[in-house]
Amino acid sequence: MADLLKLGVLISGNGSNLQSIIDHIEKGSLKAIINIVISNNTDAYGITRAKKHKIPVVILKNGDLKNKEDFDSELVKTLKDNGIELVILAGFMRILTPVFLKAFPHKIMNIHPALLPSFPGIHGQKQALEYGVKISGCTVHFVDEGVDTGPIIIQSAVQVFDDDTEETLAARILKEEHRIYPQAIQLFAEGKIEIKGRKVLIKNVRSNCHR
Ligand code: GRF
């Protein structure tokens, strides 16, 4: 359908964020369509989730191409062939090269399980626990050449409790991820996102910190 934003979702694992995007699309709160899911892991449960909803899946394993740039060129080709307008990283465990970034300028979103710029990289929840913060959360941001450094679109905060484990904190954060990622995509679909340098301005919204 012409008015639906065409998404390509990249996964490596469980795919619960993918599921939440699918659910929001199916209940009509996200005006988008997932044209393709790409996984770099043959065992990713997200593949099963996509197939259940009849979404085409492409598997491109890390070792399939000889270097990172070739891998990213193949990703770009697959996404372009499928008419993708916005790329969604949903637990995709790879750093993208400039080949990819240049092909989709300001059109790649990621979700990170911490309040950036705190605790970038892997194990954001563990880093937060070990540091002893009282509040953590999640961040949807555009992807740039750094690791979790791109302009921030939406953040949501959760409390950290004294008896939290990495698992209990991750579960509390994940619940918020599932809420704000579809919301950020919908804002993009509605053309409400404006990027000014490091800042993302959302039209008609004064604050986009969701607690
Ligand atoms: C999430 O915690 C996300 O923030 C991080 O990777 C995890 C992916 O989870 N980037 P899932 O595969 O969507 O369940």
Side-chain angles (χ1 to χ4, degrees):
M1 265 185 266
D3 56 344
L4 297 176
L5 179 71
K6 297 181 190 73
L7 307 177
V9 184
L10 274 53
I11 59 164
S12 299
N14 182 29
S16 69
N17 277 290
L18 165 66
Q19 186 68 56
S20 137
I21 293 165
I22 293 172
D23 294 345
H24 279 78
I25 289 175
E26 290 188 350
K27 68 177 187 218
S29 52
L30 176 51
K31 309 282 181 220
I33 178 167
I34 303 175
N35 276 5
I36 191 90
V37 166
I38 306 179
S39 174
N40 64 340
N41 170 14
T42 31
D43 299 328
Y45 182 62
I47 296 172
T48 307
R49 296 182 191 268
K51 286 185 175 165
K52 233 181 238 173
H53 293 267
K54 305 202 168 15
I55 299 167
V57 176
V58 167
I59 296 171
L60 197 57
K61 287 185 279 159
N62 288 339
D64 279 353
L65 288 142
K66 68 175 185 303
N67 61 44
K68 286 184 196 158
E69 285 72 22
D70 287 355
F71 188 95
D72 279 8
S73 299
E74 191 57 34
L75 280 181
V76 168
K77 185 178 179 314
T78 307
L79 292 163
K80 296 274 183 194
D81 286 351
N82 283 279
I84 299 309
E85 297 166 310
L86 181 67
V87 180
I88 302 298
L89 307 185
F92 188 60
M93 302 299 282
R94 264 186 86 93
I95 311 267
L96 304 176
T97 68
V99 169
F100 197 119
L101 299 171
K102 280 189 194 130
F104 291 97
H106 290 150
K107 289 189 171 59
I108 310 168
M109 281 187 191
N110 183 41
I111 186 143
H112 182 74
L115 291 177
L116 293 171
S118 294
F119 316 125
I122 57 167
H123 305 307
Q125 306 94 331
K126 185 163 178 259
Q127 292 183 56
L129 273 184
E130 286 175 357
Y131 196 92
V133 293
K134 304 294 186 194
I135 291 173
S136 192
C138 48
T139 305
V140 182
H141 63 95
F142 285 110
V143 176
D144 66 7
E145 57 292 335
V147 175
D148 301 323
T149 53
I152 292 171
I153 307 165
I154 300 184
Q155 295 187 296
S156 180
V158 306
Q159 268 187 280
V160 180
F161 299 116
D162 291 346
D163 59 356
D164 262 331
T165 61
E166 200 182 329
E167 289 69 32
T168 58
L169 179 59
R172 195 173 309 121
I173 292 174
L174 208 47
K175 217 169 146 210
E176 290 304 296
E177 293 185 31
H178 296 161
R179 194 172 63 78
I180 65 170
Y181 213 177
Q183 213 178 340
I185 300 165
Q186 177 60 20
L187 288 170
F188 186 98
E190 290 172 13
K192 286 192 173 162
I193 290 182
E194 188 189 345
I195 305 174
K196 277 199 171 170
R198 269 218 56 83
K199 288 193 186 168
V200 173
L201 307 178
I202 314 273
K203 285 178 200 157
N204 306 324
V205 178
R206 220 169 141 220
S207 157
N208 43 68
C209 176
H210 298 254
R211 294 201 56 203

